[in-house]
Amino acid sequence: MKDNSRAVPAGYSNIAPGYIASVVTCLEMREKPVGAPVPLPEGFSLQPLADRNPDAYRNLFRKVGANWLWFSRLIMSDETLISVLQNSRREIYVIRHNSEDAGLMELDFSEPGEVELVFLGLTSDVTGKGIGRAVMSAATELAWAKPVRRFWVHTCTFDHPSALGFYIRSGFEPYERRVEVQADPRLSGHLPLDAAPHVPIIAAR
């Protein structure tokens, strides 16, 4: 196994103005958890993404992830994003509440024998109602319905404060930490300036 223990030096490291940094925790499960699936509450459904138009997808992505600085799909070119959305080894689902989009869930089966939970997020109006637990249950069922040996996910310190504990309670075990540094997507216009107020903007002077 590669030793990354000295990849980031001990102590403080300066982050350039205009950039953001987060601590990423990677988690995995090596076998399907025991227990009956958790059904979605009445009025909620999990539907395969029908509209693969990149602009429509970005709108949903912002709606779900802006408060947590989701930006990876926003900075992609249309060509790259279209290739992601049309990849047959990716299963992308919209969480619907009656007739409204209320969340996003994506599984990536690109690597043989494993599946990544790339995204799982809900809009703010439906959080705290047990929906996440039901969606995670559905994601787990979908993941382990394929011949996989590992199901993994990563979360970071920009995410909802309960995200890491939620994944651990769902059966994932932490195995690695990383530090991610990126240009602040609010300063580039990919997200509004008032997105993720818990992460202050430090712009170059």
Side-chain angles (χ1 to χ4, degrees), residues 3-181:
D3 181 8
N4 291 319
S5 60
R6 299 305 300 274
V8 177
Y12 292 102
S13 297
N14 290 333
I15 305 300
Y19 284 75
I20 52 175
S22 66
V23 177
V24 178
T25 301
C26 299
L27 309 96
E28 65 181 1
M29 63 170 69
R30 293 283 182 169
E31 58 184 20
K32 183 180 178 182
V34 177
V38 179
L40 286 163
E42 185 176 354
F44 286 87
S45 62
L46 192 65
Q47 302 177 9
L49 179 68
D51 190 349
R52 300 297 174 112
N53 176 280
D55 289 334
Y57 176 85
R58 287 192 188 102
N59 288 336
L60 175 60
F61 192 87
R62 286 190 188 94
K63 183 179 179 181
V64 174
N67 283 340
W68 314 113
L69 284 187
W70 287 16
F71 62 86
S72 59
R73 296 289 167 79
L74 304 179
I75 63 177
M76 286 180 175
S77 67
D78 281 356
E79 181 181 10
T80 301
L81 181 56
I82 288 171
S83 70
V84 169
L85 298 178
Q86 295 182 349
N87 187 337
S88 61
R89 291 171 294 184
R90 291 180 181 265
E91 297 184 4
I92 305 174
Y93 298 88
V94 179
I95 301 150
R96 302 276 292 173
H97 181 215
N98 298 323
S99 60
E100 298 293 327
D101 292 342
L104 181 67
M105 190 271 283
E106 178 179 335
L107 298 168
D108 182 7
F109 293 89
S110 296
E111 291 296 324
E114 66 179 52
V115 54
E116 178 187 1
L117 177 60
V118 185
F119 297 110
L120 191 162
L122 300 168
T123 55
S124 59
D125 56 316
V126 299
T127 57
K129 300 180 179 179
I131 311 303
R133 181 167 171 259
V135 175
M136 175 57 77
S137 176
T140 302
E141 292 295 318
L142 289 165
W144 290 103
K146 303 287 178 65
V148 299
R149 299 181 301 276
R150 187 173 86 107
F151 184 24
W152 75 280
V153 65
H154 71 266
T155 185
C156 77
T157 46
F158 294 153
D159 283 337
H160 193 285
S162 66
L164 181 56
F166 169 75
Y167 289 126
I168 292 172
R169 291 191 300 274
S170 298
F172 291 93
E173 294 185 2
Y175 69 92
E176 184 178 64
R177 285 194 182 94
R178 304 172 183 170
V179 174
E180 181 180 18
V181 179

